[in-house]
Amino acid sequence: MSHKQKRATKLPFNKLHVPRDLAVETCQTINRHLHAALVDTCGVHTDDDFCLICRYAPEDMAFHPTFLGALLGGRTDAQKEALYADMRARLGSIGFPPENAIIFLIENAAIDWSFGPQGSVKTVLGL
């Protein structure tokens, strides 16, 4: 496999969701560590560093205490298509042009989440 092929298959898009008042330097340091970890553990090329930092006020974060289960993968293509159509209809109903929205669904598994030093959610919950 050529160098370009290898890079194309492992290009990460990192997003950091942080409190609005977290220092820029701290965000940059977190990203440097995240990128270094991806390079060291997942074969990401050192030049493939792309990160979007999203800042939120506390009142801009709303989630149910058991939110994790709903985020894990397992939806069918038909369910996803139905979700997109439903969401576009809902956007239209509030006067937001549906064609101005990009809906980006990311599903993942329990192995893809870690909230503490014990490891992944899969490990902690014995899944």
Side-chain angles (χ1 to χ4, degrees):
M1 183 182 304
S2 76
H3 178 67
K4 284 187 179 184
Q5 287 173 322
K6 186 180 255 186
R7 288 179 68 183
T9 61
K10 296 184 181 181
L11 180 67
F13 171 49
N14 303 324
K15 284 182 79 176
L16 299 180
H17 297 270
V18 300
R20 183 175 287 155
D21 61 351
L22 192 63
V24 171
E25 298 80 16
T26 301
C27 295
Q28 294 298 328
T29 300
I30 291 169
N31 180 57
R32 280 193 302 275
H33 285 296
L34 173 59
H35 184 67
L38 287 166
V39 169
D40 291 347
T41 64
C42 295
V44 169
H45 191 276
T46 56
D47 293 342
D48 292 339
D49 185 6
F50 183 84
C51 181
L52 180 62
I53 299 170
C54 305
R55 297 177 171 279
Y56 301 96
E59 64 271 14
D60 290 336
M61 299 178 74
F63 52 87
H64 192 275
T66 60
F67 78 99
L68 182 61
L71 293 178
L72 297 180
R75 287 152 194 87
T76 66
D77 286 354
Q79 287 173 312
K80 292 174 186 180
E81 291 290 354
L83 168 68
Y84 303 146
D86 184 288
M87 190 59 206
R88 289 192 187 286
R90 291 171 189 260
L91 290 172
S93 75
I94 62 168
F96 187 91
E99 63 274 9
N100 288 346
I102 296 172
I103 301 170
F104 190 77
L105 177 64
I106 300 173
E107 290 190 310
N108 45 67
I111 190 67
D112 299 318
W113 292 82
S114 177
F115 295 108
Q118 301 86 358
S120 73
V121 169
K122 179 179 180 179
T123 299
V124 171
L125 296 180
L127 300 175

